[in-house]
Amino acid sequence: MKQILDQLLGSGKGWLEQGGEQRKGQVQGALAGGALGLLLGNKKMRKYGGKVAAVGGAAALGGLAYKLYKDWQAQQQSAPAGQVSPQPLSALEGPALDQRAELLVRAMIAAARADGHIDEHERGKIAAHLTELGQGDAARFIDRELARPLDPHALAREVTDMEQATEVYFASLLAIEVDHFMERGYLDELARALQLDGDLKRNIEAQVAAL
């Protein structure tokens, strides 16, 4: 899952470097460029690419999210008694890293679906593209996620602390260009489900907008 997350976060850079015209008439990229290009809709791929190229991978995403969380935490009057110190994505390894990475991939896929443009035909195209590339496991995982009901509360129930909530909201924002009312509505509902403080939510959105 860490590899898939890195591919999703690295696809935009490759897309920008190779150029859209060079790839015209074929699906964009390998796992990330192709699958996420279809998830987002090709019209949004270049904007996505600019954002993720500025992030540069899963570890960098985790680092940015952790800094946003720590800055917000420093402004709070007090921390809950007995609170366990959260760990950034970059500090995890093994099963813990895979579990966190899987949640972030799921968050990005859910956000990319939020405008409702992915139908059964698009699902089939994504699965076929990944299977052709020998990415059968990824194809099955993504198809399973596309078949899930779009439910931000289900994602939020797997979040254990506010630092992780910051990562999930950050990754979700990275995955889309918010230009549709359904996307805005989904993100607002996700923020409520994650119980994001208003200031933290605005800081995350400002950070992504600055990329």
Side-chain angles (χ1 to χ4, degrees), residues 100-115:
R100 182 84 68 88
E102 178 178 332
L103 181 61
L104 295 179
V105 172
R106 288 173 52 205
M108 293 178 76
I109 292 172
R113 297 172 54 200
D115 66 0

Side-chain angles (χ1 to χ4, degrees), residues 15 20 23-35 37-38 42 45 129:
W15 167 255
R23 292 175 176 269
K24 190 173 182 180
Q26 58 181 310
V27 182
Q28 288 79 25
L31 167 61
L38 290 169
N42 291 337
M45 189 62 182
H129 173 65

Side-chain angles (χ1 to χ4, degrees), residues 187-204:
L187 288 170
D188 288 344
E189 188 60 28
L190 176 63
R192 283 191 288 271
L194 293 169
Q195 300 182 16
L196 281 181
D197 174 81
D199 287 338
L200 179 56
K201 178 176 180 287
R202 284 186 289 274
N203 289 343
I204 298 168

Side-chain angles (χ1 to χ4, degrees), residues 19-206:
E21 287 303 313
Q22 180 179 334
R23 292 175 176 269
K24 190 173 182 180
Q26 58 181 310
V27 182
Q28 288 79 25
L31 167 61
L36 204 64
L38 290 169
L39 282 170
L40 293 172
N42 291 337
K43 66 185 178 65
K44 296 184 178 182
M45 189 62 182
R46 188 168 291 278
K47 290 181 179 179
Y48 168 81
K51 289 191 291 188
V52 298
V55 171
L61 181 155
L64 286 169
Y66 189 67
K67 183 179 186 307
L68 284 165
Y69 161 75
K70 294 297 287 184
D71 288 348
W72 168 80
Q73 187 187 50
Q75 297 170 4
Q76 306 309 299
Q77 295 297 320
S78 60
Q83 185 183 41
V84 177
S85 297
Q87 288 185 299
L89 188 68
S90 58
L92 301 176
E93 57 185 23
L97 175 58
D98 262 352
Q99 184 177 4
R100 182 84 68 88
E102 178 178 332
L103 181 61
L104 295 179
V105 172
R106 288 173 52 205
M108 293 178 76
I109 292 172
R113 297 172 54 200
D115 66 0
H117 79 276
I118 302 174
D119 55 18
E120 289 296 320
H121 177 65
E122 293 299 316
R123 276 179 59 187
K125 285 168 64 178
I126 293 167
H129 173 65
L130 292 173
T131 301
E132 287 172 6
L133 292 167
Q135 297 283 351
D137 288 344
R140 286 185 288 275
F141 173 79
I142 290 177
D143 190 61
R144 187 168 65 246
E145 291 306 307
L146 293 176
R148 285 180 188 263
L150 193 61
D151 182 3
H153 292 269
L155 284 172
R157 282 194 291 271
E158 298 184 37
V159 171
T160 58
D161 55 63
M162 194 52 59
E163 189 274 329
Q164 194 174 350
T166 303
E167 283 181 0
V168 167
Y169 194 68
F170 194 108
S172 299
L173 275 171
L174 275 180
I176 55 177
E177 186 70 22
V178 187
D179 57 5
H180 192 285
F181 75 94
M182 292 174 68
E183 292 168 329
R184 183 70 267 168
Y186 172 81
L187 288 170
D188 288 344
E189 188 60 28
L190 176 63
R192 283 191 288 271
L194 293 169
Q195 300 182 16
L196 281 181
D197 174 81
D199 287 338
L200 179 56
K201 178 176 180 287
R202 284 186 289 274
N203 289 343
I204 298 168
E205 291 175 350

